[in-house]
Amino acid sequence: MDRIRKTAVATAIAMALAVAAGVSGCDRFRNYTDQEHVQRAKDYQSKGDLRATEIELKNALHKNPKNAEARLLLGELYLTLRQGAAAENEIMRARELGVSQEATIVSLGKAYLLQREFKRVLDDIKATAQSSAKNASRIEALHADALLGMGRAKDACESYSQANSIDSSNVEAYWGLAFCAIGHKDPGKARQSLEQALKLDANDDGTLQRLGDWEGAFGKLDLAENYYSKAIQHNPLNVEALTSRAVVRIRELKLDDASKDALALRKSVIPSFGTYYVDALLNYEKKQYRAAVDGIEQLQKYYPGYVPGWLLAGFVYFENGSLTLAEQYTDRYLSVRPYDTGAIGLDALILMKGGQT
């Protein structure tokens, strides 16, 4: 009798654990095929759960390392998370497994951009006679992004125009044209480009995000927050929009709301640039500078090429009394964005505090 009772208790505990995990006993112990793991990954991705998405894709590849679809999806997931090297690795393995160049070339170019390997974009990512107009336009826009990263703004703007002429439905070309218009001090034309992109696809989270950037640049923080919220609504995986909304909320001193965004970044995605950046910025705003330094160190360790992080590092190290590091990061930021008045002001403060009046 005692043995039966112990068995019943053990069964009850096992069932309770299964329920707590949100899965049935059958689902918990089912031996999925690699294709079933891929489908589960897609389901999790549609819900914005990137941790589970990555796990399912890796489970699929554990079952079948030659599953080309899983390789490509994992590479694209790493693009979403701004992990360029990991994305490149998976995309190249997908190619080796038979996925066509046409299906991978744009993603591979984006992986190079994330690694700031601009020359590789120009040298290796090229349209062919077989490329569709859509892909040819996207490749030209990638070239423009690379040229911009190399400091060749004039050439970049010409490439954005060329991308637009190849395929006028390429929203990313309009994003570039908007950037060029701002560089020519024509905010009206920049807004027109973004509005045109929005007409092509009213639900494109990248366009909505950039409209948020545009409003934020002119101090219209409430409108910026609204656009970022719309972008997140249409794509919960848009880490940049979630990060930017948190930053806007910090600027508005809505620290509780910003903390919710920070929590969402931690819970819904594999640690990304946004996770570390927002945590560091929140701690900086709360004057918790030691904790802010920890966030900056994590950001620089995993995402050393994230440009806004360089400026934040300058501010954090300045408040922490590490003037040498503050100057290094501020100078690095100014080498890319030389006309940022906030960075110029910080550079002056660093020099003054260091006795270089």
mmCIF file of all heavy atoms in Angstrom, residues 273-311:
data_model
loop_
_atom_site.group_PDB
_atom_site.id
_atom_site.type_symbol
_atom_site.label_atom_id
_atom_site.label_comp_id
_atom_site.label_asym_id
_atom_site.label_seq_id
_atom_site.Cartn_x
_atom_site.Cartn_y
_atom_site.Cartn_z
ATOM 1 N N PHE A 273 22.281 43.649 -28.353
ATOM 2 C CA PHE A 273 22.837 44.978 -28.083
ATOM 3 C C PHE A 273 21.859 45.815 -27.276
ATOM 4 O O PHE A 273 22.240 46.568 -26.386
ATOM 5 C CB PHE A 273 23.200 45.683 -29.395
ATOM 6 C CG PHE A 273 22.000 46.040 -30.244
ATOM 7 C CD1 PHE A 273 21.383 47.267 -30.130
ATOM 8 C CD2 PHE A 273 21.484 45.124 -31.152
ATOM 9 C CE1 PHE A 273 20.280 47.584 -30.901
ATOM 10 C CE2 PHE A 273 20.385 45.431 -31.929
ATOM 11 C CZ PHE A 273 19.777 46.667 -31.799
ATOM 12 N N GLY A 274 20.559 45.670 -27.572
ATOM 13 C CA GLY A 274 19.544 46.443 -26.866
ATOM 14 C C GLY A 274 19.487 46.104 -25.391
ATOM 15 O O GLY A 274 19.308 46.981 -24.538
ATOM 16 N N THR A 275 19.635 44.818 -25.068
ATOM 17 C CA THR A 275 19.589 44.385 -23.673
ATOM 18 C C THR A 275 20.630 45.125 -22.854
ATOM 19 O O THR A 275 20.333 45.711 -21.809
ATOM 20 C CB THR A 275 19.852 42.868 -23.580
ATOM 21 O OG1 THR A 275 18.952 42.186 -24.443
ATOM 22 C CG2 THR A 275 19.665 42.373 -22.151
ATOM 23 N N TYR A 276 21.866 45.081 -23.305
ATOM 24 C CA TYR A 276 22.964 45.685 -22.548
ATOM 25 C C TYR A 276 22.912 47.216 -22.610
ATOM 26 O O TYR A 276 23.197 47.893 -21.610
ATOM 27 C CB TYR A 276 24.309 45.185 -23.092
ATOM 28 C CG TYR A 276 24.438 43.683 -23.067
ATOM 29 C CD1 TYR A 276 24.694 42.963 -24.236
ATOM 30 C CD2 TYR A 276 24.290 42.967 -21.881
ATOM 31 C CE1 TYR A 276 24.807 41.582 -24.215
ATOM 32 C CE2 TYR A 276 24.406 41.580 -21.852
ATOM 33 C CZ TYR A 276 24.664 40.894 -23.021
ATOM 34 O OH TYR A 276 24.773 39.535 -23.005
ATOM 35 N N TYR A 277 22.547 47.761 -23.780
ATOM 36 C CA TYR A 277 22.537 49.217 -23.942
ATOM 37 C C TYR A 277 21.486 49.857 -23.040
ATOM 38 O O TYR A 277 21.769 50.834 -22.329
ATOM 39 C CB TYR A 277 22.268 49.567 -25.398
ATOM 40 C CG TYR A 277 22.275 51.050 -25.682
ATOM 41 C CD1 TYR A 277 23.470 51.745 -25.797
ATOM 42 C CD2 TYR A 277 21.089 51.767 -25.835
ATOM 43 C CE1 TYR A 277 23.485 53.104 -26.060
ATOM 44 C CE2 TYR A 277 21.091 53.122 -26.098
ATOM 45 C CZ TYR A 277 22.300 53.783 -26.210
ATOM 46 O OH TYR A 277 22.318 55.137 -26.447
ATOM 47 N N VAL A 278 20.277 49.310 -23.058
ATOM 48 C CA VAL A 278 19.199 49.896 -22.251
ATOM 49 C C VAL A 278 19.491 49.744 -20.770
ATOM 50 O O VAL A 278 19.255 50.668 -19.969
ATOM 51 C CB VAL A 278 17.843 49.263 -22.625
ATOM 52 C CG1 VAL A 278 16.754 49.690 -21.646
ATOM 53 C CG2 VAL A 278 17.454 49.672 -24.045
ATOM 54 N N ASP A 279 20.004 48.592 -20.365
ATOM 55 C CA ASP A 279 20.352 48.407 -18.952
ATOM 56 C C ASP A 279 21.398 49.441 -18.519
ATOM 57 O O ASP A 279 21.276 50.054 -17.450
ATOM 58 C CB ASP A 279 20.897 46.998 -18.718
ATOM 59 C CG ASP A 279 19.797 45.955 -18.601
ATOM 60 O OD1 ASP A 279 18.625 46.352 -18.427
ATOM 61 O OD2 ASP A 279 20.103 44.755 -18.667
ATOM 62 N N ALA A 280 22.414 49.641 -19.353
ATOM 63 C CA ALA A 280 23.456 50.608 -19.012
ATOM 64 C C ALA A 280 22.892 52.022 -18.955
ATOM 65 O O ALA A 280 23.217 52.809 -18.048
ATOM 66 C CB ALA A 280 24.596 50.529 -20.038
ATOM 67 N N LEU A 281 22.019 52.365 -19.911
ATOM 68 C CA LEU A 281 21.449 53.705 -19.943
ATOM 69 C C LEU A 281 20.535 53.954 -18.744
ATOM 70 O O LEU A 281 20.552 55.047 -18.148
ATOM 71 C CB LEU A 281 20.670 53.904 -21.243
ATOM 72 C CG LEU A 281 20.112 55.302 -21.514
ATOM 73 C CD1 LEU A 281 21.221 56.338 -21.543
ATOM 74 C CD2 LEU A 281 19.347 55.331 -22.838
ATOM 75 N N LEU A 282 19.743 52.947 -18.388
ATOM 76 C CA LEU A 282 18.875 53.079 -17.207
ATOM 77 C C LEU A 282 19.703 53.304 -15.944
ATOM 78 O O LEU A 282 19.387 54.184 -15.123
ATOM 79 C CB LEU A 282 18.019 51.827 -17.046
ATOM 80 C CG LEU A 282 16.626 51.828 -17.670
ATOM 81 C CD1 LEU A 282 15.996 50.446 -17.576
ATOM 82 C CD2 LEU A 282 15.720 52.869 -17.015
ATOM 83 N N ASN A 283 20.753 52.525 -15.778
ATOM 84 C CA ASN A 283 21.601 52.675 -14.594
ATOM 85 C C ASN A 283 22.331 54.013 -14.596
ATOM 86 O O ASN A 283 22.523 54.628 -13.544
ATOM 87 C CB ASN A 283 22.608 51.518 -14.511
ATOM 88 C CG ASN A 283 21.956 50.225 -14.057
ATOM 89 O OD1 ASN A 283 21.165 50.220 -13.122
ATOM 90 N ND2 ASN A 283 22.286 49.124 -14.711
ATOM 91 N N TYR A 284 22.700 54.489 -15.787
ATOM 92 C CA TYR A 284 23.324 55.812 -15.888
ATOM 93 C C TYR A 284 22.344 56.892 -15.445
ATOM 94 O O TYR A 284 22.693 57.807 -14.691
ATOM 95 C CB TYR A 284 23.770 56.058 -17.331
ATOM 96 C CG TYR A 284 24.307 57.457 -17.574
ATOM 97 C CD1 TYR A 284 25.614 57.787 -17.243
ATOM 98 C CD2 TYR A 284 23.491 58.454 -18.121
ATOM 99 C CE1 TYR A 284 26.108 59.062 -17.466
ATOM 100 C CE2 TYR A 284 23.969 59.731 -18.343
ATOM 101 C CZ TYR A 284 25.276 60.032 -18.012
ATOM 102 O OH TYR A 284 25.755 61.302 -18.214
ATOM 103 N N GLU A 285 21.090 56.798 -15.913
ATOM 104 C CA GLU A 285 20.076 57.786 -15.552
ATOM 105 C C GLU A 285 19.791 57.769 -14.051
ATOM 106 O O GLU A 285 19.521 58.803 -13.443
ATOM 107 C CB GLU A 285 18.790 57.516 -16.343
ATOM 108 C CG GLU A 285 17.743 58.615 -16.224
ATOM 109 C CD GLU A 285 18.204 59.930 -16.830
ATOM 110 O OE1 GLU A 285 18.918 59.899 -17.858
ATOM 111 O OE2 GLU A 285 17.866 60.984 -16.270
ATOM 112 N N LYS A 286 19.893 56.585 -13.450
ATOM 113 C CA LYS A 286 19.658 56.447 -12.008
ATOM 114 C C LYS A 286 20.910 56.764 -11.192
ATOM 115 O O LYS A 286 20.913 56.616 -9.973
ATOM 116 C CB LYS A 286 19.201 55.012 -11.695
ATOM 117 C CG LYS A 286 17.851 54.648 -12.302
ATOM 118 C CD LYS A 286 17.531 53.178 -12.047
ATOM 119 C CE LYS A 286 16.206 52.771 -12.674
ATOM 120 N NZ LYS A 286 15.930 51.320 -12.493
ATOM 121 N N LYS A 287 21.981 57.185 -11.894
ATOM 122 C CA LYS A 287 23.267 57.524 -11.273
ATOM 123 C C LYS A 287 23.928 56.312 -10.604
ATOM 124 O O LYS A 287 24.713 56.453 -9.665
ATOM 125 C CB LYS A 287 23.118 58.685 -10.280
ATOM 126 C CG LYS A 287 22.531 59.948 -10.899
ATOM 127 C CD LYS A 287 22.574 61.112 -9.947
ATOM 128 C CE LYS A 287 21.838 62.334 -10.516
ATOM 129 N NZ LYS A 287 22.348 62.735 -11.839
ATOM 130 N N GLN A 288 23.598 55.143 -11.100
ATOM 131 C CA GLN A 288 24.227 53.913 -10.609
ATOM 132 C C GLN A 288 25.367 53.570 -11.578
ATOM 133 O O GLN A 288 25.274 52.666 -12.403
ATOM 134 C CB GLN A 288 23.192 52.789 -10.526
ATOM 135 C CG GLN A 288 22.074 53.096 -9.531
ATOM 136 C CD GLN A 288 20.957 52.063 -9.575
ATOM 137 O OE1 GLN A 288 20.943 51.155 -10.396
ATOM 138 N NE2 GLN A 288 19.990 52.207 -8.664
ATOM 139 N N TYR A 289 26.449 54.329 -11.468
ATOM 140 C CA TYR A 289 27.477 54.312 -12.499
ATOM 141 C C TYR A 289 28.273 53.010 -12.535
ATOM 142 O O TYR A 289 28.718 52.585 -13.597
ATOM 143 C CB TYR A 289 28.408 55.507 -12.325
ATOM 144 C CG TYR A 289 27.685 56.833 -12.430
ATOM 145 C CD1 TYR A 289 27.778 57.795 -11.435
ATOM 146 C CD2 TYR A 289 26.878 57.116 -13.538
ATOM 147 C CE1 TYR A 289 27.105 59.007 -11.529
ATOM 148 C CE2 TYR A 289 26.198 58.323 -13.645
ATOM 149 C CZ TYR A 289 26.313 59.262 -12.632
ATOM 150 O OH TYR A 289 25.631 60.455 -12.724
ATOM 151 N N ARG A 290 28.467 52.366 -11.378
ATOM 152 C CA ARG A 290 29.191 51.099 -11.384
ATOM 153 C C ARG A 290 28.408 50.045 -12.165
ATOM 154 O O ARG A 290 28.977 49.292 -12.964
ATOM 155 C CB ARG A 290 29.410 50.635 -9.939
ATOM 156 C CG ARG A 290 30.210 49.349 -9.773
ATOM 157 C CD ARG A 290 31.604 49.434 -10.341
ATOM 158 N NE ARG A 290 31.737 48.705 -11.598
ATOM 159 C CZ ARG A 290 32.801 48.693 -12.355
ATOM 160 N NH1 ARG A 290 33.833 49.428 -12.018
ATOM 161 N NH2 ARG A 290 32.845 47.997 -13.464
ATOM 162 N N ALA A 291 27.096 50.007 -11.927
ATOM 163 C CA ALA A 291 26.249 49.063 -12.667
ATOM 164 C C ALA A 291 26.226 49.419 -14.152
ATOM 165 O O ALA A 291 26.186 48.530 -15.020
ATOM 166 C CB ALA A 291 24.836 49.058 -12.097
ATOM 167 N N ALA A 292 26.258 50.721 -14.452
ATOM 168 C CA ALA A 292 26.276 51.152 -15.855
ATOM 169 C C ALA A 292 27.552 50.698 -16.548
ATOM 170 O O ALA A 292 27.532 50.280 -17.715
ATOM 171 C CB ALA A 292 26.143 52.676 -15.936
ATOM 172 N N VAL A 293 28.668 50.752 -15.833
ATOM 173 C CA VAL A 293 29.939 50.271 -16.396
ATOM 174 C C VAL A 293 29.847 48.786 -16.723
ATOM 175 O O VAL A 293 30.313 48.336 -17.773
ATOM 176 C CB VAL A 293 31.104 50.538 -15.414
ATOM 177 C CG1 VAL A 293 32.354 49.765 -15.847
ATOM 178 C CG2 VAL A 293 31.418 52.027 -15.357
ATOM 179 N N ASP A 294 29.221 48.008 -15.841
ATOM 180 C CA ASP A 294 29.062 46.571 -16.095
ATOM 181 C C ASP A 294 28.298 46.339 -17.404
ATOM 182 O O ASP A 294 28.667 45.476 -18.203
ATOM 183 C CB ASP A 294 28.312 45.899 -14.936
ATOM 184 C CG ASP A 294 29.143 45.863 -13.661
ATOM 185 O OD1 ASP A 294 30.379 46.006 -13.756
ATOM 186 O OD2 ASP A 294 28.550 45.699 -12.569
ATOM 187 N N GLY A 295 27.224 47.130 -17.601
ATOM 188 C CA GLY A 295 26.440 47.002 -18.834
ATOM 189 C C GLY A 295 27.252 47.378 -20.060
ATOM 190 O O GLY A 295 27.182 46.705 -21.105
ATOM 191 N N ILE A 296 28.044 48.447 -19.947
ATOM 192 C CA ILE A 296 28.894 48.886 -21.060
ATOM 193 C C ILE A 296 29.929 47.821 -21.398
ATOM 194 O O ILE A 296 30.200 47.541 -22.569
ATOM 195 C CB ILE A 296 29.582 50.224 -20.714
ATOM 196 C CG1 ILE A 296 28.578 51.377 -20.783
ATOM 197 C CG2 ILE A 296 30.762 50.493 -21.631
ATOM 198 C CD1 ILE A 296 28.003 51.617 -22.165
ATOM 199 N N GLU A 297 30.506 47.199 -20.379
ATOM 200 C CA GLU A 297 31.516 46.169 -20.628
ATOM 201 C C GLU A 297 30.913 44.976 -21.364
ATOM 202 O O GLU A 297 31.549 44.398 -22.250
ATOM 203 C CB GLU A 297 32.155 45.746 -19.306
ATOM 204 C CG GLU A 297 33.074 46.819 -18.724
ATOM 205 C CD GLU A 297 33.639 46.445 -17.361
ATOM 206 O OE1 GLU A 297 33.147 45.456 -16.773
ATOM 207 O OE2 GLU A 297 34.565 47.138 -16.883
ATOM 208 N N GLN A 298 29.685 44.609 -20.993
ATOM 209 C CA GLN A 298 29.002 43.518 -21.688
ATOM 210 C C GLN A 298 28.692 43.910 -23.137
ATOM 211 O O GLN A 298 28.851 43.112 -24.062
ATOM 212 C CB GLN A 298 27.699 43.156 -20.960
ATOM 213 C CG GLN A 298 27.897 42.497 -19.610
ATOM 214 C CD GLN A 298 28.587 41.151 -19.733
ATOM 215 O OE1 GLN A 298 28.182 40.286 -20.486
ATOM 216 N NE2 GLN A 298 29.653 40.983 -18.974
ATOM 217 N N LEU A 299 28.266 45.151 -23.330
ATOM 218 C CA LEU A 299 27.950 45.642 -24.671
ATOM 219 C C LEU A 299 29.190 45.611 -25.556
ATOM 220 O O LEU A 299 29.135 45.167 -26.710
ATOM 221 C CB LEU A 299 27.389 47.063 -24.582
ATOM 222 C CG LEU A 299 26.939 47.716 -25.892
ATOM 223 C CD1 LEU A 299 25.764 46.965 -26.499
ATOM 224 C CD2 LEU A 299 26.554 49.179 -25.657
ATOM 225 N N GLN A 300 30.321 46.084 -25.017
ATOM 226 C CA GLN A 300 31.546 46.119 -25.808
ATOM 227 C C GLN A 300 32.103 44.725 -26.057
ATOM 228 O O GLN A 300 32.744 44.474 -27.080
ATOM 229 C CB GLN A 300 32.600 46.992 -25.113
ATOM 230 C CG GLN A 300 32.217 48.457 -25.010
ATOM 231 C CD GLN A 300 31.838 49.041 -26.362
ATOM 232 O OE1 GLN A 300 32.498 48.815 -27.367
ATOM 233 N NE2 GLN A 300 30.760 49.805 -26.390
ATOM 234 N N LYS A 301 31.847 43.810 -25.138
ATOM 235 C CA LYS A 301 32.326 42.436 -25.299
ATOM 236 C C LYS A 301 31.608 41.732 -26.447
ATOM 237 O O LYS A 301 32.238 41.069 -27.273
ATOM 238 C CB LYS A 301 32.127 41.660 -23.997
ATOM 239 C CG LYS A 301 32.564 40.200 -24.077
ATOM 240 C CD LYS A 301 32.346 39.499 -22.739
ATOM 241 C CE LYS A 301 32.777 38.031 -22.821
ATOM 242 N NZ LYS A 301 32.559 37.325 -21.527
ATOM 243 N N TYR A 302 30.282 41.884 -26.478
ATOM 244 C CA TYR A 302 29.490 41.127 -27.450
ATOM 245 C C TYR A 302 29.119 41.937 -28.697
ATOM 246 O O TYR A 302 28.893 41.351 -29.761
ATOM 247 C CB TYR A 302 28.211 40.611 -26.782
ATOM 248 C CG TYR A 302 28.485 39.593 -25.697
ATOM 249 C CD1 TYR A 302 28.318 39.918 -24.358
ATOM 250 C CD2 TYR A 302 28.938 38.320 -26.013
ATOM 251 C CE1 TYR A 302 28.575 38.992 -23.355
ATOM 252 C CE2 TYR A 302 29.202 37.391 -25.018
ATOM 253 C CZ TYR A 302 29.026 37.726 -23.693
ATOM 254 O OH TYR A 302 29.283 36.809 -22.714
ATOM 255 N N TYR A 303 29.050 43.268 -28.564
ATOM 256 C CA TYR A 303 28.651 44.110 -29.702
ATOM 257 C C TYR A 303 29.571 45.325 -29.799
ATOM 258 O O TYR A 303 29.132 46.468 -29.639
ATOM 259 C CB TYR A 303 27.192 44.547 -29.556
ATOM 260 C CG TYR A 303 26.237 43.382 -29.540
ATOM 261 C CD1 TYR A 303 25.825 42.826 -28.336
ATOM 262 C CD2 TYR A 303 25.775 42.810 -30.726
ATOM 263 C CE1 TYR A 303 24.976 41.725 -28.306
ATOM 264 C CE2 TYR A 303 24.924 41.712 -30.707
ATOM 265 C CZ TYR A 303 24.532 41.179 -29.496
ATOM 266 O OH TYR A 303 23.703 40.089 -29.472
ATOM 267 N N PRO A 304 30.861 45.096 -30.026
ATOM 268 C CA PRO A 304 31.816 46.218 -30.038
ATOM 269 C C PRO A 304 31.575 47.220 -31.155
ATOM 270 O O PRO A 304 32.054 48.348 -31.092
ATOM 271 C CB PRO A 304 33.170 45.508 -30.221
ATOM 272 C CG PRO A 304 32.836 44.207 -30.884
ATOM 273 C CD PRO A 304 31.507 43.809 -30.316
ATOM 274 N N GLY A 305 30.817 46.825 -32.187
ATOM 275 C CA GLY A 305 30.575 47.736 -33.304
ATOM 276 C C GLY A 305 29.303 48.549 -33.184
ATOM 277 O O GLY A 305 28.954 49.285 -34.119
ATOM 278 N N TYR A 306 28.595 48.461 -32.044
ATOM 279 C CA TYR A 306 27.332 49.198 -31.886
ATOM 280 C C TYR A 306 27.653 50.660 -31.566
ATOM 281 O O TYR A 306 28.022 51.002 -30.432
ATOM 282 C CB TYR A 306 26.483 48.561 -30.786
ATOM 283 C CG TYR A 306 25.118 49.184 -30.613
ATOM 284 C CD1 TYR A 306 24.233 49.293 -31.684
ATOM 285 C CD2 TYR A 306 24.704 49.671 -29.375
ATOM 286 C CE1 TYR A 306 22.992 49.866 -31.530
ATOM 287 C CE2 TYR A 306 23.457 50.236 -29.214
ATOM 288 C CZ TYR A 306 22.607 50.328 -30.287
ATOM 289 O OH TYR A 306 21.361 50.909 -30.135
ATOM 290 N N VAL A 307 27.517 51.522 -32.562
ATOM 291 C CA VAL A 307 28.003 52.906 -32.469
ATOM 292 C C VAL A 307 27.379 53.708 -31.322
ATOM 293 O O VAL A 307 28.107 54.402 -30.588
ATOM 294 C CB VAL A 307 27.814 53.630 -33.828
ATOM 295 C CG1 VAL A 307 28.221 55.093 -33.719
ATOM 296 C CG2 VAL A 307 28.642 52.925 -34.909
ATOM 297 N N PRO A 308 26.045 53.689 -31.098
ATOM 298 C CA PRO A 308 25.508 54.453 -29.967
ATOM 299 C C PRO A 308 26.117 54.046 -28.627
ATOM 300 O O PRO A 308 26.203 54.865 -27.698
ATOM 301 C CB PRO A 308 24.003 54.127 -30.010
ATOM 302 C CG PRO A 308 23.739 53.789 -31.437
ATOM 303 C CD PRO A 308 24.972 53.064 -31.900
ATOM 304 N N GLY A 309 26.557 52.792 -28.536
ATOM 305 C CA GLY A 309 27.185 52.324 -27.306
ATOM 306 C C GLY A 309 28.487 53.026 -27.018
ATOM 307 O O GLY A 309 28.887 53.165 -25.850
ATOM 308 N N TRP A 310 29.180 53.495 -28.067
ATOM 309 C CA TRP A 310 30.437 54.202 -27.850
ATOM 310 C C TRP A 310 30.206 55.529 -27.125
ATOM 311 O O TRP A 310 30.949 55.884 -26.204
ATOM 312 C CB TRP A 310 31.139 54.469 -29.182
ATOM 313 C CG TRP A 310 31.459 53.247 -29.972
ATOM 314 C CD1 TRP A 310 31.446 51.946 -29.522
ATOM 315 C CD2 TRP A 310 31.833 53.185 -31.357
ATOM 316 N NE1 TRP A 310 31.786 51.095 -30.541
ATOM 317 C CE2 TRP A 310 32.028 51.814 -31.685
ATOM 318 C CE3 TRP A 310 32.012 54.134 -32.348
ATOM 319 C CZ2 TRP A 310 32.399 51.405 -32.959
ATOM 320 C CZ3 TRP A 310 32.384 53.721 -33.625
ATOM 321 C CH2 TRP A 310 32.577 52.370 -33.917
ATOM 322 N N LEU A 311 29.166 56.247 -27.550
ATOM 323 C CA LEU A 311 28.878 57.528 -26.898
ATOM 324 C C LEU A 311 28.427 57.314 -25.460
ATOM 325 O O LEU A 311 28.860 58.029 -24.551
ATOM 326 C CB LEU A 311 27.813 58.295 -27.680
ATOM 327 C CG LEU A 311 27.441 59.672 -27.120
ATOM 328 C CD1 LEU A 311 28.644 60.588 -27.049
ATOM 329 C CD2 LEU A 311 26.343 60.319 -27.959
#
